[in-house]
Amino acid sequence: MGTIDFSKIKYDTGAASGREELAIDADLCVFGATSAGIAAAVQARRLGMSVVVVEFGRHLGGLTTGGLGATDIGNKAAIGGIAREFYGAVGSHYGSTEPDGTKWTFEPSVAKRIYESWLQAAEVPVYYNRRLRRVEKKGGRISRLLMEDGSSFGASVFIDASYEGDLMAGAGVEYRVGREANSEYKETLNGVHYGHPNHNFKAWVDPFVVPGKPDSGLIAGVADAPVLRQGDGDASVQAYNFRICLTNVPDNRIPFPEPPGYDPETYTLLARYIEAGVWDAMRLHKMMPNGKTDLNNFGAVSTDCIGGADKWPEGDAAARERLFQEHLRYNLGMLYFLGNDERVPEAIRREVSQWGLPADEYADSGRFTPQLYVREARRMVSDVVMTERHCRGYEVVDDSVGLAAYTMDSHNCRRLVIDGRCVNEGNVEVAVGSPYPISYRAIVPKGEQCVNLLVPVCLSASHIAFGSIRMEPVFMILGQSAASAAALALETGCAVQDVEYAKLRKRLLEDRQVLDWSK
């Protein structure tokens, strides 16, 4: 059946030594083999462009192939174009019974095969294990990406489809990390946020090593953090985790392993929460085909590594690898703890032990996903910043390149002590009224900063608006729209900021993108 090979579960898979120094040129260079990057590459090829995809690691498909198989959807009718083609391909694979033939839950390996077949059919080369060393610019235009292994990639237009925005940052484009104050964009749900009923403590949990004794120090997972004012901005980043594919099929189930560096004291907080009467850490456990699931964070203490993401956006490869391993150890360690530690009630241990990791997934990465759920990292600051007002429909842009429809959603950012008990801070879940348009100006930088770059993932949005936009179907939509804009910029020889929107809109509608919503 196989075992978990921890030596293969990495963020930084390294640059192979002895590789011939390549100098590749194309019409379009897509940085990041995420779902957005694949959609962009496929669309560009359909429009006759030569394309190259450059990927830091060796994983293809981002979160869509990385465990997020229970698609986060605000409104299916708002999803068109290549994104909908993907869910149609999933439906064809499984024999969907939906009227439109789509299916929205799937196994990671099925998603990967679809993407691989698309790229192969479109003849799109993907260059893996390429660390970005420097972005070369001339006169406000990116000319080449210089990689640490000596290879380089030149293009007329570039798309940063990475979750972190490393190309955007390297090109000198303005961005921010963290949460804006509500006052900055006249919002109500941004910044520090206490009091949301979900994913907070449903019972009093003592945060101190010796209960009731502050001088004994804090247990693992609780930070000595200041109690900031509601709505204030800060540099905190919402929590990351892994979307973990599990199975309860005995013939395909690998028992949860003890990860390297496992320390059961890391889970004292979880043990105390269970002892207080709450067992919900694995409640958000959505079934997918063939006895597999997509496990996500749920409750006050679950797979989210609260406070562990702050250094990821600006971190170098070594820092991100360290954080990746911390998240891996925390997530797999939690599952091992729940199934084996005697502090956990026997009934819960039996329940958890029915599950394990599927032996037929992620064979090339040790049988565990290589994709950390980077919910949010850098966010571009451009001429239009999508905000809560756009999400609520109070402001409507007139240059739509796709619709978003998901709840304004932020996971917790901090776990601290207030009045002698544990409190999570940062969770927000507020529904939008209806699908709303995303501005073209939010996926291109300010003109004075770079004229041949599009950013469909780390787009220009406030923290709380990004929480609504940041869903995989929307990233595919924006990736396709970015490629269409790139083709028009190349065709007319103009800056991406000067693409004629009427022509772009016509192209997007011809490609079955959904750009408007009528109540």
Side-chain angles (χ1 to χ4, degrees):
M1 183 182 295
T3 58
I4 305 303
D5 185 350
F6 285 98
S7 69
K8 292 183 178 180
I9 311 173
K10 296 180 178 181
Y11 162 76
D12 182 7
T13 52
S17 59
R19 179 187 289 141
E20 179 184 358
E21 294 186 6
L22 298 172
I24 306 296
D25 290 277
D27 293 330
L28 174 67
C29 176
V30 177
F31 183 80
T34 60
S35 57
I38 293 168
V42 170
Q43 175 69 359
R45 288 295 292 134
R46 291 177 179 178
L47 297 178
M49 302 175 76
S50 59
V51 184
V52 61
V53 176
V54 182
E55 166 59 31
F56 172 87
R58 64 186 180 203
H59 177 62
L60 178 72
L63 263 300
T64 296
T65 61
L68 205 164
T71 309
D72 295 312
I73 310 161
N75 190 312
K76 293 177 183 177
I79 299 169
I82 286 175
R84 199 165 194 90
E85 288 179 37
F86 172 78
Y87 299 106
V90 172
S92 295
H93 174 83
Y94 289 111
S96 171
T97 57
E98 293 291 322
D100 65 354
T102 58
K103 187 170 178 61
W104 305 81
T105 58
F106 47 86
E107 298 158 273
S109 54
V110 170
K112 185 177 181 181
R113 286 198 296 273
I114 291 169
Y115 280 155
E116 287 175 335
S117 68
W118 282 8
L119 293 174
Q120 183 178 10
E123 298 182 331
V124 175
V126 181
Y127 291 86
Y128 295 101
N129 295 319
R130 307 287 169 153
R131 293 183 185 176
L132 181 62
R133 178 171 64 85
R134 184 165 63 86
V135 178
E136 193 174 81
K137 288 179 71 179
K138 296 179 182 177
R141 298 180 67 86
I142 301 171
S143 56
R144 300 197 76 81
L145 307 185
L146 306 180
M147 318 311 285
E148 288 188 4
D149 67 351
S151 59
S152 67
F153 299 87
S156 298
V157 189
F158 293 80
I159 290 177
D160 186 346
S162 68
Y163 290 121
E164 293 85 5
D166 289 340
L167 170 54
M168 171 186 71
V173 170
E174 183 182 356
Y175 65 87
R176 73 188 309 154
V177 175
R179 301 180 286 184
E180 299 93 347
N182 272 329
S183 58
E184 182 164 349
Y185 295 120
K186 303 298 186 287
E187 297 176 298
T188 67
L189 299 173
N190 210 335
V192 173
H193 197 87
Y194 301 100
H196 197 283
N198 292 341
H199 310 305
N200 223 315
F201 287 87
K202 306 296 186 186
W204 182 292
V205 177
D206 193 296
F208 304 114
V209 174
V210 178
K213 301 289 185 181
D215 291 346
S216 66
L218 297 171
I219 59 176
V222 184
D224 183 12
V227 181
L228 302 175
R229 190 179 65 170
Q230 183 94 343
D232 279 356
D234 72 352
S236 297
V237 176
Q238 63 175 305
Y240 300 170
N241 66 340
F242 289 96
R243 294 290 287 258
I244 307 175
C245 184
L246 303 181
T247 184
N248 60 359
V249 178
D251 292 343
N252 194 36
R253 182 181 63 206
I254 300 173
F256 296 128
E258 179 180 326
Y262 171 75
D263 181 358
E265 292 308 308
T266 301
Y267 307 99
T268 294
L269 177 63
L270 179 55
R272 288 183 182 180
Y273 197 40
I274 293 172
E275 185 180 11
V278 183
W279 160 233
D280 62 1
M282 292 179 67
R283 180 174 166 184
L284 192 50
H285 203 199
K286 296 182 180 179
M287 290 303 301
M288 301 187 302
N290 296 319
K292 295 175 186 174
T293 72
D294 171 357
L295 175 66
N296 195 7
N297 179 83
F298 189 91
V301 189
S302 184
T303 56
D304 271 3
C305 191
I306 297 174
D310 292 355
K311 302 299 183 183
W312 182 278
E314 303 274 35
D316 61 14
R320 287 179 183 169
E321 179 62 35
R322 176 179 57 79
L323 293 170
F324 180 97
Q325 294 300 328
E326 288 178 3
H327 282 78
L328 174 65
R329 183 164 53 249
Y330 176 75
N331 273 208
L332 273 181
M334 186 198 85
L335 296 172
Y336 179 80
F337 171 83
L338 288 169
N340 293 276
D341 197 284
E342 291 186 357
R343 287 179 289 175
V344 178
E346 184 178 354
I348 294 176
R349 278 183 278 152
R350 284 199 307 268
E351 177 186 341
V352 173
S353 295
Q354 296 174 20
W355 298 94
L357 302 173
D360 62 350
E361 295 286 349
Y362 305 116
D364 56 352
S365 61
R367 294 188 170 82
F368 191 81
T369 176
Q371 180 64 63
L372 182 64
Y373 195 171
V374 178
R375 287 190 169 89
E376 182 176 10
R378 299 180 179 100
R379 301 186 310 279
M380 184 167 64
V381 179
S382 192
D383 290 332
V384 168
V385 178
M386 300 296 297
T387 71
E388 178 185 339
R389 293 186 58 79
H390 296 104
C391 298
R392 292 186 184 273
Y394 301 158
E395 294 181 19
V396 181
V397 301
D398 59 4
D399 56 349
S400 173
V401 286
L403 300 180
Y406 199 74
T407 295
M408 289 179 281
D409 177 88
S410 172
H411 282 233
N412 283 303
C413 300
R414 303 187 303 153
R415 183 183 288 128
L416 63 158
V417 180
I418 299 179
D419 296 332
R421 68 183 181 95
C422 294
V423 173
N424 288 345
E425 181 271 302
N427 191 79
V428 181
E429 297 169 64
V430 176
V432 300
S434 62
Y436 59 91
I438 301 165
S439 172
Y440 175 63
R441 290 164 290 168
I443 68 169
V444 296
K446 295 176 180 178
E448 63 270 21
Q449 294 174 0
C450 189
V451 298
N452 65 335
L453 174 67
L454 297 108
V455 186
V457 176
C458 296
L459 73 159
S460 180
S462 71
H463 159 69
I464 197 60
F466 188 83
S468 170
I469 295 168
R470 64 172 181 83
M471 303 302 145
E472 290 288 287
V474 179
F475 285 157
M476 283 190 268
I477 289 166
L478 296 179
Q480 180 178 3
S481 295
S484 297
L488 285 172
L490 182 64
E491 177 186 318
T492 58
C494 70
V496 294
Q497 292 82 3
D498 296 330
V499 166
E500 186 178 335
Y501 177 67
K503 290 183 178 179
L504 176 58
R505 180 181 178 86
K506 181 175 182 292
R507 175 79 261 174
L508 299 181
L509 292 174
E510 287 173 353
D511 292 330
R512 301 184 302 281
Q513 290 270 48
V514 182
L515 303 181
D516 305 294
W517 190 262
S518 173
K519 294 181 180 180

